[in-house]
Amino acid sequence: MKQTGQPIGTVQNTSTGDPTFRISFLFHKDLALLSETLPRCLDALTRHTQETYEVVLHCDGTPPETIARLTDNLDQWGVDELRVRRRDRFVPSGDASNNGHRRFFDLRSPYLIVIEDDVVMYRTDPSFDPLATCRRLFERHPHVPVLSKVSDYDQWSWKLEDKGDEIEPGVRSVNRLSTHFIAYDVQRFTPVANRFGAFDLDVFIDRHDLSYNWEDLVSHVGTTGSRQIAFPESWPVEIFHCDRKVEPGSMYHTQDPETKAHVLAELEQQFRPAVDTSEGAAA
């Protein structure tokens, strides 16, 4: 089997089985933003990787006219599979994005990476292989079911805190994660998540006074029993949510396309020149 989902410059591998990673993007309707973020994220994660992977784009509640426009880009982006899910029936409670997150676990690959459509990544060391490093971390630490990193975590209302000692140098053990970017060891995560109600339709809630959504459940899985959430703060990959809070300390973001485009433009100005320079030097 060829290595699937090939952005330009990615090493092609062959394999006789399923890919080691499935990289899944959760998309709603901001196609202009996705056209920028998806290629950036795939480049940061997969350029020159030695790992096999496939790329899935899960469209959740996406308008039909957006789907029609989207299909023209799939080959260029390196997307192997397009999924379209309506939000008319069998929709879970809580935040709308819960509908997509709970549907990613029908796979045989050992590792799943989920990225939301308003997230952008920049790899600051061209020699670093995020997929291989992620796999090796899971292999070394059987008590770690999930890994997450977001560089702008200082904006979170539920603050990121250490929970015990480092898992290994540069990799924190933390109290929570965000759905913006999560890597799962599927066999470790799924049975516990199932016990905790992850795949039930009525387990989530999303109100100003009480919130329990997918990221809360995944954080619950990762911080109970002997399990830990790995937060690799030292890895040379910067990951940002392209949005701003409606007000300081709020749980909620603007969800405004113009705001998201503005945040992305600022990040591109800050990080893209450094990334391009380092890749040019490596070449």
Side-chain angles (χ1 to χ4, degrees):
M1 186 189 79
K2 75 179 181 69
Q3 178 170 339
T4 57
Q6 301 286 344
I8 295 173
T10 302
V11 176
Q12 297 199 15
N13 290 350
T14 59
S15 174
T16 58
D18 293 301
T20 303
F21 285 87
R22 175 180 289 180
I23 302 173
S24 295
F25 289 86
L26 181 58
F27 174 63
H28 181 39
K29 65 180 181 180
D30 191 342
L31 183 54
L33 186 66
L34 182 74
S35 299
E36 299 292 334
T37 58
L38 188 152
R40 287 282 186 260
C41 290
L42 278 184
D43 181 76
L45 287 174
T46 68
R47 180 175 287 271
H48 306 308
T49 187
Q50 297 300 313
E51 301 294 319
T52 56
Y53 65 92
E54 64 181 357
V55 180
V56 174
L57 179 57
H58 181 101
C59 302
D60 193 80
T62 306
E65 60 273 16
T66 303
I67 296 293
R69 295 172 54 207
L70 181 63
T71 54
D72 294 336
N73 298 297
L74 300 183
D75 287 342
Q76 175 187 350
W77 292 344
V79 172
D80 299 293
E81 181 180 345
L82 176 67
R83 296 184 175 189
V84 179
R85 180 77 192 186
R86 296 187 300 159
R87 290 177 176 172
D88 296 332
R89 298 193 303 155
F90 308 110
V91 178
S93 55
D95 185 84
S97 68
N98 296 331
N99 195 51
H101 281 288
R102 63 187 290 278
R103 296 185 182 278
F104 285 122
F105 295 89
D106 57 341
L107 72 163
R108 293 183 300 273
S109 297
Y111 306 114
L112 168 68
I113 290 177
V114 177
I115 308 163
E116 294 183 333
D117 57 8
D118 55 359
V119 169
V120 67
M121 302 183 189
Y122 304 94
R123 192 198 309 182
T124 55
D125 178 354
S127 67
F128 182 70
D129 187 338
L131 296 186
T133 308
C134 181
R135 173 182 57 79
R136 289 193 293 264
L137 187 143
F138 280 127
E139 290 174 348
R140 287 192 298 269
H141 302 285
H143 52 284
V144 173
V146 288
L147 175 152
S148 181
K149 179 182 179 181
V150 179
S151 302
D152 51 1
Y153 61 82
D154 59 303
Q155 300 179 14
W156 294 351
S157 55
W158 177 19
K159 296 304 181 183
L160 184 72
E161 298 175 355
D162 290 316
K163 190 174 177 64
D165 297 332
E166 285 188 323
I167 293 171
E168 60 184 45
V171 180
R172 299 168 62 183
S173 172
V174 295
N175 63 320
R176 62 155 297 183
L177 48 65
S178 166
T179 52
H180 302 327
F181 166 77
I182 305 176
Y184 300 86
D185 182 303
V186 176
Q187 293 303 314
R188 294 176 195 169
F189 172 79
T190 307
V192 185
N194 190 55
R195 291 205 316 270
F196 289 2
F199 307 107
D200 298 336
L201 290 176
D202 60 352
V203 72
F204 300 111
I205 189 168
D206 190 60
R207 301 195 313 246
H208 286 280
D209 64 324
L210 182 61
S211 175
Y212 187 75
N213 287 303
W214 185 261
E215 68 181 25
D216 303 291
L217 185 139
V218 180
S219 300
H220 187 186
V221 171
T223 55
T224 52
S226 61
R227 294 176 292 272
Q228 291 180 287
I229 298 171
F231 191 91
E233 192 159 31
S234 66
W235 290 5
V237 180
E238 300 297 334
I239 304 172
F240 294 93
H241 183 210
C242 300
D243 203 352
R244 293 197 171 99
K245 296 285 190 177
V246 294
E247 59 185 26
S250 173
M251 291 191 301
Y252 300 104
H253 291 83
T254 70
Q255 302 298 332
D256 174 54
E258 291 187 6
T259 300
K260 293 184 177 185
H262 183 70
V263 173
L264 177 60
E266 291 180 343
L267 292 168
E268 286 285 287
Q269 186 175 17
Q270 179 180 357
F271 286 97
R272 197 65 210 172
V275 170
D276 291 340
T277 298
S278 65
E279 288 179 351

